Amino acid sequence: MFFRTLAILSFVLFSTLLFAQEKSWKVPNVEIKDLKNTSVSASEIYNTEGPTILSFWATWCKPCILELNTIKDYYVDWQDETNVKLVAISIDDTRNIAKVGPLARGKGWEYDIYIDANSDLRRALNVNNVPHTFLLDKNGNIVWQHNGYAPGDEDELYDKVLEVAEMSSN
C-alpha cells in the first residue's frame, strides 16, 4: 500500500512539473551582447507590447539570410498589423562576430541584432542548427518554434504571429 501511494504521488508530482514547465517555458536569463558589445539579459529582450520573433541565425547560413531578407519585405506591415518585434540572434563565433553588424546593415535589416558568441543561449534553448525561430507572447512565454527555412515558411510564421497578437489584445 505504501509503495502504491508513493508511486501515485510521484506520478502526480512528475505530471504537475512537466505541465508547469510546458506552460511557462521562457527565454532563460543568459547574457548575450548587442552590436555595441554591451551585455544584455536574453530574458529581457522580448516585446511586452506584443509578439516577439526570436530568430537564431549566422552570417555563413544562407537559409538564415534568405529567411531574414524575406521577412524584411513584410516586416513593416507585420509591425503595423500585430506590433511584432523581431530579434535576430547571431550564433557566429568570435572569428565571425565582426561580420554580423556590417551584414545586417548591408541587408537593411531593422531588427534588434544580438550575438550569442559563447552559444550559452543557443544551448539553453536547445538550438542545434540554424535558422531556428521562436515565437514569444507579450509575457515572454515561448509559444511556437520552427527549425529550418523554406520559401513560404514566413506565411506560417505570420499566421502564428497573428494568433499571438490576438491573444495579446485580449
Side-chain angles (χ1 to χ4, degrees), residues 28-152:
N29 186 15
V30 174
E31 280 195 12
I32 54 177
K33 299 208 175 196
D34 64 14
L35 293 178
K36 294 177 182 170
N37 203 30
T38 303
S39 293
V40 177
S41 173
S43 64
E44 298 173 2
I45 59 174
Y46 68 91
N47 178 12
T48 58
E49 305 287 318
T52 303
I53 300 168
L54 206 62
S55 178
F56 282 83
W57 69 288
T59 56
W60 44 262
C61 172
K62 290 185 181 181
C64 302
I65 293 170
L66 180 60
E67 178 181 45
L68 291 171
N69 275 340
T70 302
I71 292 172
K72 181 188 86 172
D73 294 339
Y74 304 104
Y75 190 53
V76 172
D77 293 336
W78 289 12
Q79 286 182 303
D80 290 344
E81 295 170 16
T82 65
N83 199 25
V84 68
K85 172 183 172 184
L86 193 146
V87 177
I89 300 177
S90 166
I91 63 162
D92 284 281
D93 59 20
T94 53
R95 291 174 296 170
N96 293 319
I97 285 176
K99 298 176 184 174
V100 173
L103 188 136
R105 282 189 292 278
K107 297 290 184 184
W109 297 342
E110 296 183 12
Y111 315 131
D112 291 350
I113 308 283
Y114 294 94
I115 299 170
D116 183 29
N118 296 328
S119 295
D120 293 337
L121 183 57
R122 176 183 175 187
R123 279 191 299 276
L125 290 174
N126 201 24
V127 173
N128 295 317
N129 50 36
V130 287
H132 195 121
T133 305
F134 294 89
L135 182 61
L136 285 61
D137 66 15
K138 69 178 183 181
N139 298 315
N141 297 308
I142 297 172
V143 295
W144 180 84
Q145 63 176 309
H146 181 79
N147 191 2
Y149 176 74

